[in-house]
Amino acid sequence: MAIGEEADAVAGGNGGTSQARAHRTRRVQAYPRGRIATEADLAETRRLLGDLVSPDHLAQDHLIEALHIVHEAKGYLSLGRLAALAQLARLSMAEVFEVATFYAHFDIRADGDDRPPIVVRVCDGLPCEMAGARRIYQALYKALGERVVMAPCMGQCAAAPAAEVHTPAGAQHLTALDKAEDITGHITAAMKRHEEIAPASKSLEDYCKQGGYRCLKRLATGDLSPAEVIETLNKAQLRGLGGAGFPTGRKWAMVAGQPVTPRYVAVNADEGEPGTFKDRHFLETNPHQVLEGALIAAKVVGADAVYFYLRDEYAAVRRLLTREIARLGPHAQGIKIHLRRGAGAYICGEESAMLESLEGKRGLPRHKPPYPGEVGLFSRPTVINNVETLYWVREILVRGADFYGKAGRNGGIGWRAYSVSGRVREPGVKIAEAGITVQELIQEHCGGMAEGHVFKAYLPGGASGGILPATMADLPLTFGTLEPHGCFVGSAAVVVLSEHDDIADAVRNLMRFFKYESCGQCTPCRIGTAKACDLLDQPAWDRALLEDLAQVMRDASICGLGQAAPNPMQCALKYFAQEIPQDI
């Protein structure tokens, strides 16, 4: 039936009543729109998706997961399979195509393109580039050709340099490649490890023996009230630890006070900031404490479900969470946990872009939900929390607000997990008091600087947090203390540089990352990051032009990516003027 014919059929084909004629003018929408899938592609796609298509429809909020499943079957997405997905989701080919091409981990191929799929991504994040990632890439490219590409940070910064190997069971990581005598041999071995699961130091049984899920049970029985939980979190002064630092108790109270239902909890586990890997640490070592924190949030705000958004690079963590969530049973108190994965887009760490991605769309920042006229899964009140924030919730409720609220150094409040990478002897996740200085962090938790390296500079808050010289190593690493110096602590990703590292090269690396990861929605960020890369590649830096560009990006960009992208560049101009290419 062609578009518009349905109304005539309803009216008997003779013009019918005036009501039928009015209906006919509305041009009833038919499916599919655009390219029609072949029966073979449609049947194979249905088979791959299984229960995800129910009974004959793929919900749009499952679109990205469906793209992953179809992609993994061949290592790429053919146009025919995209057309089949569009037909099953009752979307146009254009809508599915724009989603698939937005995310970096989907390789789109024309029908009949039989080139071998990409199998290795080599990290070019700053810690990995400092550790020799470019040399690793060149060696792999010599052996595997176009099946190897450079890619942004993979959350393996403490074991740099790192690469991501794609297997039929998802991505797996190779680390410390500078010590490997046969890199291709390591890749071959990784391709055979189809069911690798990240280690969990605490199983469900061990966690429950130590009082796990007891706080959640108290909430369910009424022994602990939602108001008491919010009061305890407020007293502890727990803040969002993904970067923004918004008070957690206040956020929960705002959502709980909304008259609209249903409500949701969304867990942001899409840490993509170069140098950040603390969330992976918590999920690998104590996943149930994070899950209980999310379920407590759901009980407090009256949420019907929890949506867990995990970055695609954490395939082993995904297998672990899938297993542990399935084992929860009555511990979940009837709350459904949906585990969803990203597809390689740093912008989805921005909370509104994450919600868009969860709805099966491009990860473009938007107004915070809810707002009048909004439609979609997350058009209702939603609590969005970072993994580390939820980890501390149960700890605070068990040990009391003072355990967290009275901890800290140099005016800081609480505890923090610092992701430390770069030129230190013992990189990794270091749990320390908020407000510790980078000098204290290096000496007390990292075993000092790496052999043969002298402390020169550091990133206090990942790629967007700016760069400070070693002469400013006594600044507390906490909210509010670094902003006057043009920096911020953000997600506490500390990258340490030495005299072997070139500041100008570091800034170029970071700006290339922002250029690559800009969602492209707003001109100041899309064009600004590209223009900044061009200017930084010049033999001499034009200080006035760079400063003017930075101000425009800060003032006019839609979200924090474009607003914070100039930070490393401006810090270099301010603190390392003697090292940057001679000003014009």
Side-chain angles (χ1 to χ4, degrees):
M1 182 180 294
I3 295 175
E5 288 182 359
E6 185 177 355
D8 277 333
V10 172
N14 295 315
T17 65
S18 60
Q19 182 178 5
R21 285 193 296 273
H23 179 61
R24 185 169 63 244
T25 62
R26 291 200 295 269
R27 295 180 62 81
V28 175
Q29 183 64 64
Y31 292 95
R33 288 175 281 170
R35 173 174 173 161
I36 308 298
T38 66
E39 288 299 325
D41 279 328
L42 195 57
E44 179 61 14
T45 302
R46 280 180 182 275
R47 185 190 69 79
L48 289 171
L49 297 184
D51 293 340
L52 215 57
V53 179
S54 178
D56 61 349
H57 175 57
L58 173 69
Q60 185 168 356
D61 61 288
H62 285 130
L63 177 58
I64 292 176
E65 182 60 27
L67 287 166
H68 275 299
I69 292 171
V70 175
H71 188 278
E72 287 164 358
K74 287 190 174 182
Y76 61 89
L77 290 167
S78 68
L79 294 180
R81 296 288 171 85
L82 289 180
L85 283 170
Q87 193 163 328
L88 292 171
R90 300 177 185 174
L91 298 169
S92 69
M93 176 70 168
E95 289 173 293
V96 174
F97 189 81
E98 72 177 8
V99 173
T101 54
F102 180 84
Y103 295 94
H105 290 182
F106 296 136
D107 184 10
I108 315 300
R109 302 282 182 89
D111 295 331
D113 186 341
D114 58 356
R115 288 175 297 157
I118 294 169
V119 296
V120 182
R121 286 184 168 91
V122 180
C123 179
D124 65 357
L126 181 58
C128 284
E129 186 165 283
M130 290 163 59
R134 190 67 55 176
R135 175 179 56 82
I136 300 300
Y137 167 75
Q138 291 169 351
L140 287 171
Y141 190 86
K142 185 177 180 180
L144 299 172
E146 294 183 357
R147 305 185 77 186
V148 181
V149 296
M150 298 295 290
C153 183
M154 300 169 183
Q156 302 289 331
C157 317
E164 184 180 75
V165 181
H166 293 262
T167 77
Q172 297 186 33
H173 289 102
L174 298 178
T175 53
L177 294 177
D178 56 326
K179 300 175 183 177
E181 294 180 3
D182 183 0
I183 297 172
T184 56
H186 280 253
I187 292 172
T188 301
M191 293 290 286
K192 295 178 180 179
R193 295 196 302 270
H194 294 336
E195 298 301 327
E196 178 182 305
I197 293 181
S201 63
K202 289 186 180 178
S203 65
L204 174 61
E205 293 75 18
D206 289 339
Y207 183 68
C208 289
K209 286 178 183 177
Q210 297 174 9
Y213 293 105
R214 194 171 298 168
C215 288
L216 182 62
K217 187 175 181 180
R218 290 179 63 204
L219 264 171
T221 60
D223 184 45
L224 179 66
S225 72
E228 289 175 311
V229 172
I230 291 173
E231 181 183 1
T232 302
L233 296 182
N234 284 334
K235 185 178 178 182
Q237 301 184 64
L238 178 65
R239 302 172 70 169
L241 300 175
F246 192 86
T248 303
R250 192 193 311 173
K251 178 186 287 187
W252 290 15
M254 290 167 60
V255 174
Q258 292 287 329
V260 182
T261 57
R263 306 182 187 116
Y264 301 108
V265 169
V267 182
N268 191 341
D270 192 54
E271 57 179 358
E273 186 92 2
T276 307
F277 46 93
K278 62 185 177 64
D279 291 348
R280 177 176 59 81
H281 166 79
F282 286 123
L283 294 173
E284 286 182 347
T285 58
N286 201 350
H288 286 284
Q289 187 154 321
V290 179
L291 292 172
E292 184 176 11
L295 291 167
I296 288 171
K299 280 292 184 185
V300 168
V301 305
D304 292 1
V306 173
Y307 284 81
F308 209 108
Y309 190 83
L310 180 70
R311 70 179 304 192
D312 187 37
E313 288 86 348
Y314 293 171
V317 175
R318 179 170 60 86
R319 288 189 281 272
L320 169 65
L321 287 175
T322 300
R323 184 187 68 189
E324 296 304 310
I325 290 171
R327 298 181 65 206
L328 280 178
H331 294 295
Q333 298 294 332
I335 298 170
K336 177 70 173 177
I337 299 179
H338 302 270
L339 180 59
R340 302 288 175 82
R341 49 177 156 165
Y346 167 68
I347 189 62
C348 290
E350 197 276 340
E351 59 183 29
S352 65
M354 180 189 73
L355 295 185
E356 289 286 284
S357 187
L358 280 168
E359 291 183 351
K361 305 171 186 174
R362 293 173 295 166
L364 302 179
R366 70 180 193 186
H367 293 291
K368 303 298 187 293
Y371 65 93
E374 183 183 4
V375 295
L377 179 65
F378 293 101
S379 60
R380 295 295 183 264
T382 303
V383 161
I384 305 170
N385 277 133
N386 164 262
V387 165
E388 186 189 356
T389 306
L390 294 171
Y391 173 86
W392 290 113
V393 167
R394 184 254 182 185
E395 204 77 11
I396 291 169
L397 294 178
V398 169
R399 302 177 67 170
D402 287 349
F403 152 75
Y404 190 90
K406 291 190 176 180
R409 295 191 197 183
N410 307 310
I413 296 173
W415 298 86
R416 291 218 65 172
Y418 295 91
S419 305
V420 186
S421 60
R423 309 300 192 179
V424 294
R425 191 181 300 274
E426 300 170 8
V429 174
K430 312 297 179 180
I431 297 178
E433 303 96 325
I436 193 172
T437 69
V438 71
Q439 189 66 60
E440 293 168 336
L441 193 62
I442 293 171
Q443 296 303 320
E444 298 175 22
H445 295 272
C446 301
M449 294 292 291
E451 189 71 29
H453 291 271
V454 176
F455 183 29
K456 173 182 176 179
Y458 66 105
L459 280 64
S464 58
I467 305 176
L468 292 171
T471 54
M472 300 175 71
D474 58 347
L475 293 173
L477 297 174
T478 190
F479 295 113
T481 60
L482 302 174
E483 284 79 356
H485 306 283
C487 298
F488 55 80
V489 71
S491 59
V494 179
V495 183
V496 179
L497 286 71
S498 77
E499 81 287 0
H500 294 291
D501 301 308
D502 183 273
I503 297 298
D505 283 344
V507 172
R508 294 186 187 101
N509 175 282
L510 298 172
M511 192 56 71
R512 284 196 302 271
F513 169 79
F514 291 123
K515 173 186 174 181
Y516 181 82
E517 293 293 344
S518 173
C519 74
Q521 181 177 199
C522 70
T523 302
C525 180
R526 181 182 69 252
I527 302 300
T529 52
K531 184 64 175 177
C533 285
D534 291 342
L535 292 172
L536 294 175
D537 284 337
Q538 297 302 311
W541 288 11
D542 187 331
R543 176 186 293 269
L545 189 55
L546 287 170
E547 291 284 7
D548 181 61
L549 177 63
Q551 193 61 50
V552 171
M553 292 175 67
R554 288 189 193 287
D555 292 343
S557 294
I558 287 175
C559 77
L561 191 154
Q563 294 163 12
N567 284 346
M569 180 176 71
Q570 290 193 295
C571 284
L573 293 170
K574 183 176 181 180
Y575 300 115
F576 302 94
Q578 73 281 4
E579 293 193 41
I580 64 174
Q582 183 64 43
D583 290 10
I584 293 176

